[in-house]
Amino acid sequence: MKKEYDILVIGSGLGGLVSALILAKEGLKVCVLEKNNQYGGNLQTFSRDKLIFDTGVHYLGGLSKGQNLHQYFSYLEIMDDLEIQQMDENGYDKITFGDDEIEYPHAQGYENFVEQLSQYFPEERENLEDYCEEIQRVCSQFPRYNVVGKDNYNEEILHLNTKRFIESITSNQKLQSVLLGSNFLYAGDSENIPFYVHALTVNSYIQSAYKCIKGGSQISKLLIRKLRQYGAEVHKHAEVSEFVFNENNTLTGAKTKSGKEYSAKQIISNIEIRSTIKLIGEAYLKKSFLNRVLSWEPVPSCFSVYFVLKSQSIPNFNYNIYHYSSEETGLECLSIQKRKLA
Ligand SMILES: Cc1cc2nc3c(=O)[nH]c(=O)nc-3n(C[C@H](O)[C@H](O)[C@H](O)COP(=O)(O)OP(=O)(O)OC[C@H]3O[C@@H](n4cnc5c(N)ncnc54)[C@H](O)[C@@H]3O)c2cc1C
């Protein structure tokens, strides 16, 4: 007999695994399908010469007690098993430009953030305070982010543009570029990204910044262990190639490339939205929805180069460097992370 699940989750990235675990903890029968050999999507790691390398997630914010990710990971029952290391409090990210030797720090803690940057921009202290205040105000409007409060969003803040906002805070171009220095985290596009995305991202790291000892894949491994404890199924080498509909055009399941069919009352697709549309088939979707999604410009990508350095060749550092050839913090960004021998 064909097995039926309450929920089928397509893709075992962080979003898929967290959704699956929340629902499994609620007692639902959940199954996650992943096309790759390794679970986790952007949480995947690989190793060379006894070093573990991250492919995506390499540092996390808001993991100190009482902060938002700490609350989420505690609820998901993985917090106590995570092996993490707090990054440099006076500069978890450092922004550099061309031949300028100064490393402009993004520090942990709002007061410290202002303090550290004011050393390089003494006349900008008040503007920096305004920047910090606005970030916190915007974040406070997102109830789910803070795991408390009401459910609705304040529409007005959704439309604020990142670049315009930073320009309204200071006319100092170097400081503008420093504040936008980690924009690689949201596709390097501060011209088109709403300010709330910048605020939510930067806020979590200013609260606290940690790197995962032994890489980000420990998060997916812990989530999968918990999922199995809660009775969920997780399958790899299971690429969904088609959605299944019944004679009433109701979505009833999904088929994998190998021909296996999974039935479920509801499906969560945690893969790229255009791929989801292809799997569903345009005929099943509203034209207005299709037009909106298909009109979105694709975001830029990045490529990563990994080096294993000879031992003792450079001093250890506990921060990321975002390097730009000039003060134009556009797409051309070199992001450097360092990992010690495990
Ligand atoms: C280079 C890089 C660095 C980053 N650094 C950080 C960082 O330091 N800190 C941070 O917080 N965030 C970071 N991010 C962002 C973070 O990695 C992502 O926001 C997050 O991991 C995305 O998770 P996801 O669940 O949305 O999707 P994904 O991780 O993309 O997962 C999607 C999964 O779906 C699977 N899949 C796709 N199609 C199918 C199919 N047809 N059938 C079955 N499975 C399928 C894929 O194989 C994949 O495993 C980084 C991102 C990148 C790209």
Side-chain angles (χ1 to χ4, degrees), residues 117-163:
L117 275 181
S118 295
Q119 291 178 22
Y120 301 98
F121 302 96
E123 69 294 350
E124 295 284 338
R125 181 179 279 274
E126 252 180 57
N127 291 339
L128 282 164
E129 281 166 359
D130 289 348
Y131 167 78
C132 290
E133 207 171 285
E134 193 56 15
I135 289 206
Q136 291 172 90
R137 187 188 75 82
V138 166
C139 291
S140 72
Q141 312 275 328
F142 286 80
R144 290 269 157 79
Y145 180 79
N146 293 301
V147 213
V148 284
K150 53 188 178 20
D151 239 2
N152 55 321
Y153 294 87
N154 170 356
E155 273 281 324
E156 168 220 342
I157 53 163
L158 299 182
H159 303 292
L160 207 58
N161 170 293
T162 299
K163 191 95 190 285

Side-chain angles (χ1 to χ4, degrees), residues 220-251:
S220 43
K221 285 179 192 148
L222 290 171
L223 287 170
I224 285 166
R225 195 198 297 166
K226 273 291 153 208
L227 273 166
R228 292 197 165 124
Q229 278 173 18
Y230 278 96
E233 286 180 30
V234 191
H235 300 289
K236 55 185 178 179
H237 299 298
E239 178 170 355
V240 172
S241 55
E242 157 184 3
F243 280 3
V244 179
F245 292 84
N246 68 12
E247 61 282 4
N248 301 321
N249 286 341
T250 305
L251 184 60

